Amino acid sequence: MIRVRVPGDKSISHRAALLAPLAASDSVVRGLSTGADVRSSVRAMQRLGAAIECEEDEGGLTIRCPGGGLAGGAPPRLDCGNSGTTARLLTGILSGAGVAAVLDGDPSLRSRPMRRIVYPLQAMGTRIEYEGEPERLPIRVRARATGQLRPLRHRARVASAQVKSAVLLAGVLARVRVSVSEPALSRDHTERMLAAMGAPVVFDPARAGAGEAAFDPAGWDGGLDGLHMTVPGDPSSAAFLIGAGLLSGRAVRVEDVAANRGRTGFLAVLEAMGAAVRRDPLPDQAGEPRETWTVRPPDGLRAFSIGGAAVPGLIDEVPLLAVLAARARGRSEIRDAAELRVKESDRLTGLARALESLGVRVEERADGLTIEGRGGRLRGAVESRGDHRIAMAFGVLEAAGDADLAIDDRACAGVSFPGFREALAPFTEGAASRPAARPDGRVIAVDGPAASGKSTTARRVADRLEFVHVNSGLLYRAITWWALREGIDDEARAVEDAVPALALELVPGPEGLAVGVGEAIPDRALHSPEVTARVSALSALPAVRAVVLDRLRRAGRRHEIVCDGRDIGTTVFPDAGLKVFLVAEPRERARRRLRERGANLTEENIEREAAALEARDRLDSSRSLSPLKRAEEAVVIDTTGRDPGEVVDSIVRLAVERRLTRL
């Protein structure tokens, strides 16, 4: 498993840099993103006279502000660089504070629309003029000599956190009533931070779909409390590293990441593609939820379809999802994403042209893309158009090791993710050898006779090492379940003819890899008496064993696994990094099996079960195809009378000694 931390969340960092200087008391905010966009916000506030001290270390940018607001003086010209958030939120701040300035940016930012920000602020009474092309930067915000801004109830046609934030900031700083209604959920970082600083902002953080954020100054003294927080990791940055894990077959854990509902929509898409996602909550920071994410890849990505109200919550991750779609089975569809045409570049066109240049079939529409996934090595030139998210998305594709790409501008990733190329290094290590037929040493094989403790031990070892547990017996049971359902369990020839084409997959789940058969995940049905009675006979069929062998080895190539069975170290993974052979006395194994069934531990039952287990041992050991036997290099562990925890500890120590884990 690859453990990563990502830079501080860019959206939260922007707001902290813009709001902390406006507080009535001191603020200390740690862990801000060091990207160029956030630095644009810091520099702009400094140009406006805000007292901001900055220092940078490996944890990110730290700002200290005594508070007190903005200084007066001649209207400065503020360079917002490539940052739309800086330009748009500052327009709201200047409007509410009544401070004059000229806002400008680089050619890319100058091409992006400003009217939807300017229009509601003008409706409140702010004097804003376009200095160049209409509805584009640069704009001049005039100082407010007398009078107050007017209250505003704004109904947005498109969900936009930047429009909503600009109106709320203007209302809070001018202390006039405002509200913004949206047709879908957009990010609520501004509402959360203002509320944490004591402003009476009303919103529903748990809402879904359309909603409203409002500010009413009645009863409020007008002072914002200082901000003291550490910015959690950026979920959009995390998404790209998770994507690298999905494409390279590596599980990824992202520590301390912002988990705002308006930012995590892409996780649901990854689950729809077959990934297993675990979210562990952490304490909030300034009203912002935080989590640690663990994402495990499936054996193969599935196509997806997104649109409607889901899009605002994953708009920044669409470039990554488009690249993942190029490697998924089937046709993926992205709809209702016309907003991407007015980002740092026209991302829909940029993605379509880049994917087409690699031989991927893409249909571009006004509001989205349809992408046909394909296998094989991808080669070609990628034009990033100076867009950091396009450059990052194709950097992820390249890191997976099955693409030869010439990306024209990799450096633009630093706008949001400084050190992005270095962060991809763990995914590129050994990438060239990953498609090989044999596992790469991240496999622990646990063999032994029935009831020797294999599955329980293997599962607990996997938990300790953060590997994935694979119970090989479940695959045989799944094929048996399918044969019973098809009514061919007594027809060996029919089973052998059909099983090679069976859609049998190991699917990541909360307790390891579950087995999927077509669209079904049988789960408990695999342990039914009917399956148990037939599994031995069907598992002896050569075609069945060949299919199971293929699926297990595929899992070994794509996951760090602990796999248990009867021929794992000898046949399935002869090159496993660690092989363990568990044994126990027959009567001990008999007692375990009886306890599993809830049967009485009478002497008669124990003797009968022990005899049955010994008979099965003889059968398993004498079969011609993959017999039960200990691999020469396997470590034998007798579990008779031993505490299960001691057995697990012994295997974990062996894994550490053989450098299969960094524990």
Side-chain angles (χ1 to χ4, degrees):
M1 178 179 295
I2 297 176
R3 293 178 177 84
V4 298
R5 283 185 176 272
V6 292
D9 180 75
K10 190 172 75 155
S11 294
I12 298 174
S13 295
H14 273 300
R15 287 154 176 82
L18 296 170
L19 288 178
L22 305 177
S25 56
D26 71 293
S27 297
V28 178
V29 185
R30 295 180 171 83
L32 282 82
S33 167
T34 59
D37 278 4
V38 172
R39 291 184 187 274
S40 292
S41 288
V42 173
R43 284 194 296 268
M45 293 302 283
Q46 290 173 328
R47 288 272 292 149
L48 287 165
I52 305 178
E53 295 180 4
C54 300
E55 60 184 58
E56 183 178 345
D57 58 27
E58 61 182 15
L61 196 67
T62 295
I63 60 171
R64 292 179 170 83
C65 312
L70 308 178
R77 192 173 190 90
L78 305 177
D79 181 4
C80 300
N82 189 240
S83 176
T85 301
T86 303
R88 289 163 177 165
L89 270 62
L90 263 178
T91 306
I93 288 172
L94 295 170
S95 176
V99 173
V102 176
L103 297 174
D104 203 353
D106 66 13
S108 172
L109 187 57
R110 280 189 169 196
S111 71
R112 298 169 66 180
M114 286 293 292
R115 183 180 183 279
R116 60 186 179 183
I117 301 290
V118 170
Y119 173 75
L121 296 177
Q122 288 177 327
M124 293 177 71
T126 303
R127 295 169 59 201
I128 303 177
E129 302 161 1
Y130 296 107
E131 289 205 331
E133 183 181 348
E135 302 183 7
R136 300 286 191 271
L137 291 178
I139 61 170
R140 180 178 294 275
V141 181
R142 297 286 185 179
R144 192 169 62 252
T146 59
Q148 288 289 318
L149 293 182
R150 294 184 288 271
L152 177 71
R153 183 174 180 82
H154 181 63
R155 296 185 180 276
R157 294 182 178 180
V158 177
S160 169
Q162 293 177 350
V163 173
K164 178 175 58 176
S165 296
V167 172
L168 287 173
L169 290 169
V172 168
L173 295 178
R175 298 183 65 183
V176 299
R177 189 174 63 255
V178 293
S179 66
V180 180
S181 300
E182 295 185 291
L185 176 70
S186 71
R187 301 174 183 181
D188 57 9
H189 298 303
T190 300
E191 297 96 298
R192 289 175 183 268
M193 191 169 289
L194 285 171
M197 297 175 76
V201 176
V202 178
F203 66 105
D204 181 3
R207 72 182 175 88
E212 181 175 277
F215 165 75
D216 188 337
W220 182 49
D221 65 7
L224 291 171
D225 300 331
L227 193 59
H228 296 266
M229 68 178 297
T230 298
V231 177
D234 189 286
S236 295
S237 297
F240 287 91
L241 298 186
I242 291 170
L246 293 178
L247 290 177
S248 61
R250 305 296 297 275
V252 179
R253 172 168 291 180
V254 189
E255 309 281 352
D256 190 7
V257 63
N260 189 295
R261 288 180 69 245
R263 305 289 302 283
T264 58
F266 75 94
L267 292 175
V269 181
L270 299 187
E271 289 180 312
M273 299 184 79
V277 179
R278 175 176 168 177
R279 303 172 63 173
D280 297 312
L282 299 168
D284 289 3
Q285 283 277 345
E288 288 287 351
R290 301 157 54 231
E291 294 176 340
T292 289
W293 297 341
T294 304
V295 182
R296 299 185 184 277
D299 286 342
L301 294 172
R302 298 193 293 264
F304 62 87
S305 177
I306 55 174
V311 172
L314 50 76
I315 194 71
D316 285 340
E317 291 74 50
V318 168
L320 171 69
L321 295 175
V323 164
L324 295 180
R327 285 311 204 188
R329 296 194 304 270
R331 178 177 295 179
S332 297
E333 187 175 16
I334 300 167
R335 308 182 311 280
D336 305 313
E339 174 76 7
L340 289 171
R341 295 201 181 277
V342 291
K343 292 291 186 179
E344 283 83 338
S345 69
D346 180 342
R347 286 181 178 161
L348 293 178
T349 294
L351 288 166
R353 299 293 87 77
L355 289 170
E356 287 172 344
S357 73
L358 305 182
V360 178
R361 294 179 60 185
V362 182
E363 177 188 346
E364 181 184 354
R365 300 185 308 280
D367 69 339
L369 303 169
T370 299
I371 302 167
E372 190 79 37
R374 57 157 290 184
R377 200 166 188 84
L378 300 177
R379 295 180 174 87
V382 172
E383 182 184 355
S384 68
R385 305 185 176 210
D387 191 313
H388 58 121
R389 300 212 184 272
I390 291 180
M392 290 162 66
F394 286 92
V396 164
L397 180 62
E398 185 178 46
D402 56 357
D404 301 315
L405 309 183
I407 303 173
D408 66 341
D409 183 5
R410 301 173 188 271
C412 65
V415 166
S416 61
F417 196 156
F420 177 64
R421 291 190 70 179
E422 292 77 9
L424 285 179
F427 301 95
T428 61
E429 293 171 1
S433 63
R434 231 174 255 133
R438 291 179 180 268
D440 60 5
R442 291 178 286 119
V443 174
I444 297 174
V446 180
D447 287 311
S452 58
K454 299 186 300 297
S455 293
T456 300
T457 300
R459 183 168 55 250
R460 294 179 64 176
V461 169
D463 288 343
R464 285 275 298 276
L465 299 179
E466 295 182 336
F467 279 32
V468 179
H469 174 226
V470 180
N471 182 343
S472 64
L474 294 182
L475 287 162
Y476 292 109
R477 287 180 172 271
I479 293 173
T480 305
W481 172 83
W482 160 80
L484 285 164
R485 190 185 65 176
E486 298 297 314
I488 59 173
D489 56 297
D490 286 322
E491 302 173 29
R493 179 63 178 272
V495 171
E496 292 211 279
D497 286 346
V499 75
L502 181 62
L504 184 73
E505 291 185 298
L506 285 165
V507 183
E511 296 183 359
L513 293 178
V515 183
V517 185
E519 297 297 319
I521 300 179
D523 197 18
R524 293 184 180 180
L526 300 183
H527 299 281
S528 69
E530 294 80 10
V531 169
T532 299
R534 295 292 300 147
V535 65
S536 292
L538 291 183
S539 64
L541 298 175
V544 170
R545 300 196 70 80
V547 167
V548 171
L549 183 66
D550 172 74
R551 301 307 189 271
L552 292 174
R553 286 181 173 171
R554 187 188 302 173
R557 290 193 296 270
R558 297 190 62 82
H559 303 275
E560 297 163 313
I561 69 172
V562 182
C563 184
D564 67 90
R566 292 179 176 81
D567 61 348
I568 306 303
T570 54
T571 302
V572 182
F573 295 116
D575 293 332
L578 172 62
K579 300 177 184 181
V580 175
F581 195 84
L582 300 183
V583 296
E585 295 178 354
R587 288 175 59 84
E588 173 79 6
R589 293 192 284 139
R591 281 189 286 268
R592 293 174 185 171
R593 188 53 58 87
L594 290 171
R595 289 193 194 99
E596 289 176 3
R597 298 174 186 163
N600 293 327
L601 296 180
T602 64
E603 192 65 26
E604 181 180 356
N605 284 345
I606 293 172
E607 288 295 335
R608 183 185 301 111
E609 187 64 30
L613 289 170
E614 288 181 303
R616 179 170 179 179
D617 292 345
R618 288 191 294 272
L619 178 63
D620 288 342
S621 300
S622 61
R623 67 190 181 202
S624 59
L625 189 64
S626 298
L628 167 66
K629 67 177 183 178
R630 178 178 68 85
E632 290 184 6
E633 62 273 38
V635 178
V636 178
I637 299 178
D638 191 339
T639 65
T640 305
R642 293 188 64 179
D643 180 86
E646 294 179 6
V647 177
V648 172
D649 289 342
S650 297
I651 298 174
V652 169
R653 282 195 297 271
L654 289 167
V656 172
E657 291 171 2
R658 302 190 185 197
R659 299 183 180 181
L660 296 178
T661 176
R662 296 181 181 179
L663 289 181

